[in-house]
Amino acid sequence: MAANVGDTNHETDKLEFSLDVPFPSAREATIALRSLAPDREPRKGGISKQLSVSGSTLSVRWSADEARILRVSVTSFMDHLSLVLETMEMFGPPVSD
């Protein structure tokens, strides 16, 4: 897992955080994306989160007005990601269509 911590976009004065999570296959990365994408931020303003898949890597990018809001969002996402990974491990690799 690679993370880019605590960057500030000086053009907008927003805090930014990015996380890249490698998966064994593109299919597993897509399953994780589909499992995590429905979770929207509880607050409308102050933070945004973008998820994408490139090959077998799930990428997540946050942008926030305040460090506290960013920390809560990242922590919540990591809890959900952990649950997704445990579930995928429990049920084994995905079956091809």
Side-chain angles (χ1 to χ4, degrees):
M1 234 184 308
N4 189 3
V5 182
D7 288 341
T8 301
N9 184 334
H10 295 290
E11 293 175 9
T12 62
D13 285 333
K14 291 207 177 235
L15 298 169
E16 296 181 346
F17 181 79
S18 59
L19 178 69
D20 294 326
V21 184
F23 283 85
S25 70
R27 183 161 167 82
E28 288 170 286
T30 300
I31 290 169
L33 171 73
R34 290 179 181 165
S35 299
L36 296 164
D39 294 335
R40 296 187 182 180
E41 296 303 324
R43 278 178 53 161
K44 294 268 183 189
I47 191 158
S48 66
K49 176 176 64 180
Q50 299 171 347
L51 287 86
S52 63
V53 168
S54 178
S56 62
T57 301
L58 171 67
S59 297
V60 189
R61 308 283 181 256
W62 286 266
S63 178
D65 294 333
E66 300 175 28
R68 181 184 59 80
I69 296 168
L70 179 61
R71 183 179 64 250
V72 168
S73 179
V74 170
T75 300
S76 176
F77 178 83
M78 294 300 280
D79 288 343
H80 288 109
L81 176 62
S82 176
L83 180 60
V84 168
L85 293 173
E86 286 177 27
T87 302
M88 291 172 88
E89 185 176 313
M90 174 94 52
F91 289 99
V95 178
S96 298
D97 291 335

